[in-house]
Every structure is written in structure tokens, then in C-alpha cells.
Amino acid sequence: MMEFHGTTFDRPEFNRLIADIESQKINMVITKDLSRLGRDYIKTGYYIENYFPENQVRYVSILDGIDTYSETVNNDITPFKAILNDMYAKDISKKIRSVFKEKQKQGEYLCSTPAYRIQKRF
């Protein structure tokens, strides 16, 4: 099973969302928070500032208080939140790679499922 992350917009369900917007099946997108739309601040900004308005789509981010239908202060800081989401994704990626490199140097087993007859130690 393939995993898809918010750092890319080439995700099957996101592509389906875009297809539904273009076929005018939906006119509103709701996410828990801005990072659920995407963590690439340039593309996130493109969808919120250009693509959604051009296609008469309202965007709402519940936890961030963003609603493109109404003028709010939170809408003004949306670009900054998108940048922070992008930076967080890059930072956590570096940290994870660093941990794996260190484990590799120490000769630790890196797979989630141990090989046959080998016990995993915690």
C-alpha cells in the first residue's frame, strides 16, 4: 500500500477533489487545519488565493479559523501558516533521516518487522 503525504499535491484523493471541482460537483472544501490541504506553501497559496476563487470554491479550515467566504483576520495570516507548515514538514523529515542514520551507524535493525526467528528488542 502506497502512502501519500501532504508535502505533495499529487495524491489520488486530492486529484479526485480537483476533478470534482472542475466538473462542478462541489463548491466548498473543508479541512481540519491548513496543513491537511497541503504543506507546500507555494501550492497551498495557489489553491487558496487563485484556484479556489477562480472556480467559485469556498475554503474553510476549522482549527485555523480560515474561511474564504468571509473577511477575517485569520485569512490575512494564512500565508504565514502555510510557510510554517512547509518548514515543519522539512524539519521533521531531517530529524527522521538523522535518527535513521544514527541507528544505521550503530548497526541497529531498521525494518519494522524482524526477519524470521529474530526477536526485536526495544
Side-chain angles (χ1 to χ4, degrees):
M1 180 177 176
M2 290 190 69
E3 287 187 29
F4 296 93
H5 303 278
T7 55
T8 178
F9 280 85
D10 188 18
R11 307 183 306 256
E13 293 303 313
F14 187 79
N15 293 335
R16 192 178 81 161
L17 171 75
I18 296 303
D20 286 348
I21 289 171
E22 290 178 0
S23 64
Q24 299 179 342
K25 290 182 182 177
I26 61 173
N27 64 359
M28 184 173 184
V29 174
I30 302 172
T31 60
K32 174 184 170 187
D33 59 44
L34 185 60
S35 70
R36 297 299 174 194
L37 178 63
R39 293 185 181 98
D40 176 333
Y41 77 95
I42 293 173
K43 287 190 177 180
T44 301
Y46 163 74
Y47 282 105
I48 293 173
E49 299 291 327
N50 299 103
Y51 184 81
F52 291 157
E54 288 170 3
N55 289 281
Q56 292 83 42
V57 173
R58 178 182 181 183
Y59 174 71
V60 174
S61 170
I62 297 169
L63 295 180
D64 294 317
I66 298 167
D67 185 347
T68 58
Y69 184 73
S70 62
E71 293 296 321
T72 67
V73 174
N74 288 340
N75 289 357
D76 294 340
I77 63 170
T78 299
F80 300 107
K81 288 183 179 190
I83 290 171
L84 291 174
N85 289 334
D86 190 323
M87 290 173 60
Y88 174 78
K90 289 176 183 171
D91 183 53
I92 200 73
S93 177
K94 287 178 190 175
K95 289 176 181 177
I96 290 170
R97 279 195 307 267
S98 172
V99 168
F100 275 117
K101 276 186 178 180
E102 189 59 34
K103 285 185 173 192
Q104 187 179 29
K105 284 181 187 177
Q106 294 176 4
E108 291 184 35
Y109 190 76
L110 298 177
C111 296
S112 60
T113 305
Y116 181 68
R117 290 186 172 229
I118 296 177
Q119 291 182 343
K120 189 173 180 179
R121 295 182 190 167
F122 294 97

